[in-house]
Amino acid sequence: DKTDELKLPSREDMDRARAALTDAWRKLMDMIGQMQKEMLGGKDDPRVKAVVKWIGKHYDLSTHPGQGEAGLYYYYLTFAKALDALGQDVVEDDKGAKHDWRKDLAAELARRQQDNGSWVNTNEKWMEGDPNLCTAFALLALSYARPQPVAPQ
C-alpha cells in the first residue's frame, strides 16, 4: 500500500530541492520565526490559541482549508512548523476527535509522493507546479513531523 511507504527522492532531485531553498531564504525564514516567537507570548497568547482553534476546526490534510489544492505544500509546511513549535502532538477537531497530526501528515505526504520520490501539486498556483519547490516544502514539513523523543522518567 503506497500510504505505508515513503520513498526517498533521488540525489539529483534532492540537490534540486535544496537549490530551491537558498541560504538567504532560509536565513530570512529563521529571522521571521525568531521575530514571531518574540512577538507572541507562547501557548497562552490569544493569537496562538486562535490558530490552534482554527486548525482544529478545519482539520483536514487532504486539502488546504478554504483553498482546495492551492498552496497545499506550503500549508503543510506552516501547519507542521506551527504545531511542532508549540510542542503540540495531538489536534482535537471541532467534533472532539483527536488526531496525531505528525502521523496523519506523514501518511498524506506518502500518499501524494510521486513514483520518482518527488512531490508536485496539480494546482500550479503560487509556483507549486514546480516539483523542486513542492519537494522542498514536503521534506521540511516531514522534518517538523518527526516523532518527538519521549523524556526519561
Side-chain angles (χ1 to χ4, degrees):
D1 184 17
K2 189 172 181 176
T3 60
D4 294 332
E5 184 177 320
L6 195 62
K7 296 178 192 167
L8 293 175
S10 70
R11 175 73 180 186
E12 184 177 302
D13 289 337
M14 289 288 292
D15 288 343
R16 277 197 297 268
R18 276 194 290 272
L21 294 172
T22 66
D23 189 49
W25 184 84
R26 284 189 307 242
K27 286 180 183 175
L28 176 62
M29 298 314 315
D30 288 343
M31 287 172 49
I32 290 170
Q34 186 59 39
M35 287 171 38
Q36 288 171 335
K37 283 181 185 175
E38 291 171 6
M39 289 171 35
L40 297 176
K43 289 183 180 184
D44 293 328
D45 188 295
R47 295 166 293 183
V48 173
K49 287 182 177 183
V51 168
V52 172
K53 183 178 178 181
W54 185 92
I55 288 172
K57 183 178 179 183
H58 301 281
Y59 191 84
D60 177 12
L61 293 174
S62 65
T63 65
H64 177 181
Q67 301 291 323
E69 296 281 314
L72 183 62
Y73 288 90
Y74 183 72
Y75 172 70
Y76 288 154
L77 171 58
T78 57
F79 169 92
K81 186 173 183 177
L83 291 173
D84 182 62
L86 289 171
Q88 186 145 346
D89 294 323
V90 175
V91 172
E92 185 172 337
D93 68 24
D94 60 347
K95 295 176 184 88
K98 295 184 179 187
H99 302 272
D100 179 341
W101 69 266
R102 296 173 194 277
K103 183 178 176 183
D104 293 349
L105 180 59
E108 183 63 24
L109 284 169
R111 186 183 75 75
R112 291 178 171 275
Q113 191 174 31
Q114 304 296 301
D115 289 338
N116 69 358
S118 70
W119 286 268
V120 66
N121 196 338
T122 55
N123 184 319
E124 295 184 2
K125 191 172 186 177
W126 298 310
M127 297 176 45
E128 284 201 355
D130 180 352
N132 299 305
L133 181 65
C134 289
T135 299
F137 286 161
L139 292 173
L140 285 168
L142 285 169
S143 76
Y144 290 110
R146 284 188 310 248
Q148 297 303 297
V150 177
Q153 294 184 16

